């Protein structure tokens, strides 16, 4: 693996190996001394053209725990505001000697361009591009699903296993969601079944050819299909134009209240799920819109754990992209 650009590029064996490596990484994080010397002398640049809390911080934590040097770049406050292009920004960072560039960009395809343009020599990791892909999110989601739904007392992380037989419902603003696209790819590769649930206006054109089913009826999916996990998506107002609420004449649904009634996860809907089902959300959440506070804070919600797992998964990705073969595993 030279870059990580899309969850669709991962085959089953590579994905399982990444998850298994993340388990090893997670084990090292339970030790008193969390830092490993693995990437000493390597430089990881975090290149963020779009806002981020979890992804940026967890890539930084992951790189530092592997002893890499980390340079954080965010477009806000940089010369991007003076009109500097992606190319010139990339060349500037390359001049600083980046071994890996972790990039988030509002334009779908920007990481692909970086990886294949010759502007940077290092490995490129997609940390979210437009509405296209967010592969490390899909990996941390798969890691979380595997731990909760495939792990047992002898093998708590489900090491070596895939997600065959699991059913995941992905609910909400699929149209604007790179998390949904990445998860549809990776969950299928790992053997899980996916049902997308959204209003017709938030289902992408062409979704019928994806490796998932689509439904417009959340209650029906919860009651009849009994998914093992429900993954709520944020209503992505910043991608909706109009008045920015997603509602109204230029929007995608009649009103926030109607969206919540039809597609929000609340205590009543939580009770329709099977006992063992878990509640996921990539964050950030719109509490009260796609998820109620009691659902977000319920014992079934693994939302905070998803964030913690993100560090282990990103350590695994950086390790597998950057560590030399002769170096030992953690
Ligand atoms: N944080 C995720 C992303 O950047 C999901 C979201 O923003 O809703 O794609
Ligand atoms: N889940 C996720 O990517 O969160 P951030 O946008 O805060 O990085």
């Amino acid at each position: 693996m030279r870059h990580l650009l899309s969850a669709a590029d991962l085959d089953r064996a590579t994905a399982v190996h990444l998850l298994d490596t993340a388990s090893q990484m997670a084990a090292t994080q339970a030790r008193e001394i969390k830092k490993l010397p693995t990437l000493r002398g390597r430089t990881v640049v975090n290149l963020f053209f779009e806002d981020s809390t979890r992804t940026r911080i967890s890539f930084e934590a992951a790189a530092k725990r592997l002893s890499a040097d980390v340079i954080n770049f965010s477009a806000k406050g940089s010369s991007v505001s003076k009109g500097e292009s992606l190319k010139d920004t990339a060349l500037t960072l390359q001049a600083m000697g980046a071994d890996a560039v972790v990039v988030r960009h509002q334009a779908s395809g920007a990481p692909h361009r970086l990886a294949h343009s010759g502007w940077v020599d290092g490995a490129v990791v997609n940390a979210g591009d437009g509405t296209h892909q967010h592969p490390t999110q899909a990996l941390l989601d798969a890691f979380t699903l595997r731990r909760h739904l495939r792990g047992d007392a002898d093998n708590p992380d489900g090491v070596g296993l895939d997600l065959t037989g699991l059913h995941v419902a992905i609910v909400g603003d699929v149209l604007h969601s790179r998390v949904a696209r990445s998860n549809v790819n990776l969950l299928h590769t790992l053997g899980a079944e996916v049902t997308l649930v959204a209003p017709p206006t938030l289902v992408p054109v062409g979704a019928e050819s994806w490796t998932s089913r689509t439904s417009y009826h959340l209650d029906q999916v919860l009651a009849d299909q009994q998914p093992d996990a429900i993954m709520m998506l944020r209503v992505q107002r910043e991608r909706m134009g109009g008045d920015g609420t997603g509602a109204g004449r230029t929007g995608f649904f009649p009103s926030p209240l109607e969206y919540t009634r039809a597609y929000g996860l609340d205590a009543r809907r939580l009770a329709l799920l099977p006992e063992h089902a878990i509640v996921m959300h990539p964050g950030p959440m719109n509490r009260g819109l796609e998820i109620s506070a009691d659902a977000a804070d319920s014992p079934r919600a693994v939302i905070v754990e998803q964030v913690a797992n993100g560090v282990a998964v990103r350590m695994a990705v950086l390790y597998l992209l950057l560590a030399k073969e002769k170096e030992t595993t953690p």
Side-chain angles (χ1 to χ4, degrees):
M1 193 166 74
R2 164 117 173 75
H3 306 289
L4 179 58
L5 301 177
S6 169
D9 296 339
L10 299 171
D11 59 24
R12 183 194 168 281
T14 310
V16 170
H17 181 51
L18 265 162
L19 299 181
D20 292 350
T21 309
S23 284
Q24 288 179 286
M25 293 297 177
T28 68
Q29 297 309 294
R31 295 181 195 157
E32 200 180 330
I33 297 173
K34 296 187 167 46
K35 207 156 172 147
L36 307 170
T38 321
L39 296 184
R40 203 157 41 201
R42 301 304 194 92
T43 300
V44 175
V45 174
N46 286 324
L47 187 56
F48 277 66
F49 289 85
E50 220 189 44
D51 294 344
S52 170
T53 297
R54 283 148 281 270
T55 311
R56 193 176 56 75
I57 291 173
S58 61
F59 266 112
E60 181 174 355
K64 285 184 169 161
R65 303 245 171 107
L66 293 169
S67 303
D69 293 323
V70 183
I71 298 173
N72 287 317
F73 169 96
S74 72
K76 273 187 199 140
S78 77
S79 288
V80 169
S81 60
K82 301 177 198 165
E84 191 162 31
S85 65
L86 175 63
K87 175 177 177 176
D88 289 328
T89 305
L91 291 173
T92 303
L93 293 168
Q94 181 55 35
M96 319 243 172
D99 295 297
V101 178
V102 176
V103 60
R104 170 170 287 194
H105 202 283
Q106 60 279 6
S108 299
H112 189 273
R113 184 101 175 96
L114 266 190
H116 298 293
S117 59
W119 301 336
V120 294
D121 293 336
V124 176
V125 183
N126 183 357
D129 62 329
T131 58
H132 178 224
Q133 279 282 327
H134 192 353
T136 57
Q137 177 73 44
L139 283 164
L140 75 87
D141 290 337
F143 184 87
T144 307
L145 285 161
R146 192 172 78 158
R147 189 174 250 185
H148 277 273
L149 299 168
R150 302 303 312 271
D152 58 26
D154 297 332
N155 182 6
D157 279 355
V159 170
L161 302 176
D162 64 14
L163 302 177
T164 298
L166 295 185
H167 180 198
V168 181
I170 302 182
V171 184
D173 183 1
V174 178
L175 179 65
H176 301 106
S177 179
R178 51 198 179 205
V179 174
R181 284 169 181 77
S182 300
N183 266 298
V184 166
N185 294 143
L186 189 65
L187 290 172
H188 176 71
T189 300
L190 290 171
E193 212 186 297
V194 176
T195 303
L196 301 172
V197 188
T201 48
L202 290 174
V203 175
V205 174
E208 60 285 353
S209 65
W210 295 6
T211 52
S212 47
R213 287 180 290 181
T214 302
S215 167
Y216 305 136
H217 306 290
L218 181 54
D219 284 334
Q220 207 175 318
V221 168
L222 298 184
D224 298 350
Q225 298 182 19
Q226 296 279 288
D228 301 294
I230 181 166
M231 191 181 288
M232 303 307 297
L233 300 173
R234 182 173 63 93
V235 173
Q236 300 191 34
R237 295 173 160 117
E238 77 278 17
R239 301 196 200 281
M240 289 186 175
D243 64 0
T245 67
R249 207 155 48 86
T250 55
F252 291 85
F253 43 84
S255 73
L257 188 64
E258 286 187 59
Y259 181 88
T260 302
R261 275 203 196 120
Y263 296 101
L265 184 66
D266 57 11
R268 180 186 69 78
R269 290 199 166 116
L270 210 54
L272 297 177
L273 285 164
E275 284 278 295
H276 66 270
I278 58 171
V279 173
M280 306 173 80
H281 192 303
M285 291 185 271
N286 294 308
R287 281 174 184 254
L289 184 55
E290 71 267 1
I291 189 164
S292 69
D294 43 9
D297 299 331
S298 88
R300 284 150 164 238
V302 296
I303 299 165
V304 177
E305 197 189 315
Q306 285 172 265
V307 178
N309 292 342
V311 177
V313 161
R314 286 164 180 137
M315 286 174 79
V317 168
L318 292 174
Y319 170 76
L320 292 172
L321 287 172
L322 294 184
K324 292 196 198 87
E325 268 169 31
K326 62 177 172 1
E327 278 170 344
T328 49
T329 49

